[in-house]
Amino acid sequence: MSDQLIWVIVGMGIVTYIPRMLPLVLFHTNHLHPRIQGILKNVPYAILGALIFPGVLTINPESYLYGGIGAAAAFIAAWLNLNVIVVVLSSIFVLYGYTFL
Amino acid sequence: MMPSPAVHRQETPAYWKKGVQAGLPIAIGYMPVAFTFGLLAKAAELSLFETISMSIIVFAGASQYIALSMIVALSGAAELILTTFIMNIRHLLMSASLKERAEDDPKWLRAIYAFFITDETFSVAATSPEKKITGSYLLGLGLVAYSCWVIFSGVGYLMGSGLPQSLQDSMGIALYAMFIALLVPAAKKSKKVIALAASAAVLNSIFSLVPALKGGWGIILSTLIAAVTIEFFMRGDERDE
């Protein structure tokens, strides 16, 4: 993958730019059906769920518990409304501490 | 204030300045997210060039994080690009809504500032008190946010390499912690968000048992099924948004 990664990045850039640009530059009518609008608004939350599970449980192939502990730490920190970077750092440090147990 | 077209032209520097000022809070908010992206890109074994290129060319936080997790999971190029596309289709809505207020600008200028549409720049621009959003306002706003994003991706990457190996190992959780941090505040406010995330998570866990759907395609399929069916069952469930 590595040598073609830059072309994947260019492809990602193109497909990111197209939805940003089309309505602003080319479309004349911009009335999407409300049902379609609703589905588009749903996408970010659905994709987050799919990204977290089951991936988080397999970050250590030998133990589901490892990823589970890290996810729980992140969940608690996020529940307390901590800043994103604090959530990320606290789950890293919880797992770092766990490896010494 | 209702400036005539002539006055509007004279005031271009003022609009630019207002855009830059409005962009500063976004830039500050982007710093830790871009820094973490750089750190994670290093952990995902991207080169510094690839990391900065992705921030320069794509400029979409969530997509870039997803790309990293898919690269780590050895997903293919088509899955990565398709996932990015699905993830960013939502910008259609923001672009369409900005057009209502920015129609006076020439097409080439709109084509340029369209690149800077993100959830954050859109929210700031769309709620700004100016009657007309001018091109110079949007360029000022976008460029401040963008430069911060690119620079701090690089800073995060470079600082990541100085960390001890045992710490770098536990950083495998960072990407998932980031997603959890994005999801939980929205889920606290909305049953629909919980339903969306939970159903996509269950579907993707089932799909991961099917070799052909492992990785990117499972994510795409579970996202689409969840987004469509939840919309069908929970339409109008939310008060606003």
Side-chain angles (χ1 to χ4, degrees):
Chain A
M1 172 80 150
S2 187
D3 35 336
Q4 57 165 344
L5 185 54
I6 190 66
W7 295 110
V8 174
I9 292 171
V10 170
M12 287 173 63
I14 293 169
V15 298
T16 304
Y17 180 64
I18 288 171
R20 284 171 170 170
M21 177 274 291
L22 274 185
L24 203 48
V25 179
L26 293 180
F27 287 175
H28 290 289
T29 50
N30 35 36
H31 289 295
L32 279 174
H33 189 281
R35 181 70 54 102
I36 305 282
Q37 288 187 23
I39 291 169
L40 292 180
K41 281 184 188 168
N42 289 348
V43 164
Y45 304 113
I47 211 167
L48 284 173
L51 283 166
I52 296 167
F53 290 100
V56 69
L57 297 176
T58 56
I59 53 170
N60 180 344
E62 288 153 30
S63 147
Y64 283 172
L65 188 62
Y66 185 84
I69 289 172
F75 185 86
I76 292 167
W79 191 266
L80 298 173
N81 295 324
L82 298 176
N83 184 284
V84 177
I85 190 91
V86 181
V87 173
V88 171
L89 290 178
S90 39
S91 70
I92 290 174
F93 284 115
V94 165
L95 276 189
Y96 187 54
Y98 176 67
T99 51
F100 291 106
L101 287 182
Chain B
M1 189 170 76
M2 289 278 283
S4 72
V7 172
H8 160 180
R9 206 163 276 278
Q10 277 172 6
E11 284 188 355
T12 292
Y15 277 112
W16 160 265
K17 216 172 161 183
K18 277 182 185 169
V20 171
Q21 282 165 358
L24 285 177
I26 302 178
I28 293 166
Y30 277 178
M31 272 182 208
V33 188
F35 184 88
T36 312
F37 170 74
L39 213 84
L40 296 174
K42 168 81 186 168
E45 293 175 353
L46 268 69
S47 69
L48 178 62
F49 172 74
E50 288 161 345
T51 305
I52 293 181
S53 299
M54 201 190 282
S55 283
I56 289 175
I57 296 172
V58 183
F59 185 40
S63 305
Q64 292 180 219
Y65 278 98
I66 290 162
L68 290 184
S69 67
M70 290 179 77
I71 289 165
V72 171
L74 299 175
S75 306
E79 293 146 82
L80 248 157
I81 293 172
L82 186 59
T83 306
T84 305
F85 180 65
I86 293 172
M87 188 69 201
N88 291 320
I89 286 176
R90 71 181 193 283
H91 289 140
L92 277 173
L93 297 170
M94 303 175 194
S95 177
S97 143
L98 273 187
K99 194 190 178 186
E100 303 283 311
R101 295 176 68 183
E103 221 152 4
D104 292 347
D105 288 321
K107 273 192 180 181
W108 63 266
L109 183 56
R110 282 185 263 154
I112 292 173
Y113 62 64
F115 176 79
F116 297 113
I117 295 176
T118 64
D119 297 350
E120 294 79 14
T121 58
F122 168 76
S123 316
V124 168
T127 56
S128 92
E130 321 292 325
K131 284 235 166 183
K132 269 285 171 201
I133 299 175
T134 66
S136 37
Y137 175 88
L138 285 170
L139 281 179
L141 177 74
L143 279 171
V144 169
Y146 180 64
S147 342
C148 190
W149 180 254
V150 171
I151 291 167
F152 276 83
S153 303
V155 172
Y157 187 96
L158 293 172
M159 289 184 67
S161 39
L163 300 172
Q165 187 58 44
S166 48
L167 191 56
Q168 287 194 32
D169 289 344
S170 54
M171 275 167 44
I173 192 67
L175 202 54
Y176 297 101
M178 165 80 189
F179 292 140
I180 291 169
L182 293 176
L183 185 60
V184 168
K188 277 168 86 173
K189 285 184 218 144
S190 161
K191 279 183 190 151
K192 192 178 185 181
V193 168
I194 296 174
L196 283 164
S199 56
V202 169
L203 285 170
N204 192 42
S205 301
I206 295 168
F207 291 155
S208 73
L209 304 173
V210 184
L213 294 175
K214 225 176 159 132
W217 296 116
I219 290 172
I220 292 170
L221 206 59
S222 42
T223 298
L224 287 178
I225 294 174
V228 171
T229 49
I230 298 292
E231 191 56 26
F232 186 77
F233 285 115
M234 295 181 80
R235 190 162 66 115
D237 234 30
E238 301 301 300
R239 278 151 279 156
D240 198 9
E241 238 264 325

